[in-house]
Amino acid sequence: FPILPRPYVYKKWYKKGTTLSLVPLGKTTGVNTDNLLYPLQDGFLHLGYRNGNSNEVLEDGIVTVDYEEGDMLIMECKD
């Protein structure tokens, strides 16, 4: 799925209750999320300090994750 400019934007449709983990590779700054149980607004994630593990989609629909700087893995978790 594409990463779009901002400089980094990820958008994808998910079913309510889907588990997503946002895993920074080092430090990721300017993080904003939409349609997740634990939202971030201009936040940061830092590997080993503050991760975005085991977040959950609030409602059926588009989840948006965007960030300004750094690298991040967005993992769709299926048990």
Side-chain angles (χ1 to χ4, degrees):
F1 291 89
I3 299 292
L4 307 170
R6 185 207 163 247
Y8 307 104
V9 178
Y10 172 83
K11 292 185 179 194
K12 184 177 175 189
W13 190 96
Y14 287 98
K15 188 172 184 172
K16 179 180 178 175
T18 301
T19 301
L20 295 179
S21 290
L22 310 178
V23 182
L25 301 176
K27 186 174 183 179
T28 305
T29 60
V31 182
N32 298 289
T33 63
D34 186 48
N35 197 22
L36 291 178
L37 181 61
Y38 305 108
L40 286 170
Q41 296 301 318
D42 198 30
F44 75 94
L45 298 172
H46 192 261
L47 186 62
Y49 176 70
R50 184 175 186 206
N51 295 316
N53 295 336
S54 300
N55 211 329
E56 189 174 307
V57 177
L58 282 176
E59 299 294 332
D60 287 354
I62 298 291
V63 168
T64 302
V65 178
D66 65 73
Y67 56 100
E68 287 291 327
E69 197 171 335
D71 294 304
M72 178 187 318
L73 297 175
I74 300 172
M75 299 171 53
E76 299 175 16
C77 304
K78 299 177 183 174
D79 292 333

